[in-house]
Amino acid sequence: MASSSTEKLPHVLAVDDSSVDRNIIQQLLLTNSACRVTTAENGEKALEFLGLAHGQDSCTCNSDLEVNLVITDYSMPGMTGYELLKKMKESPTMKNIPVVILSSENNPRRIEQCKKEGANGFYKKPLTLTDIDQLVSSVKGISYPSKKKHIIARE
């Protein structure tokens, strides 16, 4: 169980099939912003954590599990980051959580597709220092619940 000061920190869910990329995102966020970071190795695990697996619409809302931002890789085996985004935006309880997509490919059609589905940002890997600053600013600017919509696409 988290302490009361920890419960008030923004909670970021980082989803990537690469353990190296997950760890980089986690360490960058923990080093540069005051937040909690949970990681998941694929879209299915992220949905389980969010309480959206197997037809559920939300977890039994334990406040320790409340997520304020999802950062996900686009290309993952099984369920892509795009499919995770769509599932979240279809859920009445998860649709207002900002989702940022990361991709190693600069594909304008993919960027536009993610924007249409409600992505709040799209970054090309590897992340630059400017990208990290923008992500940290996003984490620091999280309100409860966050309904801000910032579309960022870096080519």
Side-chain angles (χ1 to χ4, degrees), residues 89-108:
K89 297 306 177 180
E90 290 169 359
S91 165
T93 57
M94 298 287 151
K95 68 182 178 185
N96 290 325
I97 296 174
V99 179
V100 173
I101 307 286
L102 306 177
S103 179
S104 58
E105 299 173 31
N106 184 16
N107 182 328

Side-chain angles (χ1 to χ4, degrees), residues 47-118:
L47 286 179
E48 285 177 26
F49 182 80
L50 294 168
L52 296 176
H54 312 296
Q56 299 169 307
D57 185 29
S58 178
C59 59
T60 51
C61 284
N62 176 348
S63 63
D64 288 345
L65 299 181
E66 182 179 345
V67 172
N68 306 101
L69 175 68
V70 174
I71 301 172
T72 182
D73 184 27
Y74 183 93
S75 298
M76 297 181 287
M79 175 183 286
T80 66
Y82 174 72
E83 292 166 330
L84 173 61
L85 169 69
K86 283 179 63 171
K87 293 267 189 203
M88 288 182 64
K89 297 306 177 180
E90 290 169 359
S91 165
T93 57
M94 298 287 151
K95 68 182 178 185
N96 290 325
I97 296 174
V99 179
V100 173
I101 307 286
L102 306 177
S103 179
S104 58
E105 299 173 31
N106 184 16
N107 182 328
R109 186 173 97 39
R110 181 178 289 173
I111 294 168
E112 189 57 37
Q113 184 182 40
C114 290
K115 285 181 186 180
K116 276 186 167 179
E117 286 298 328

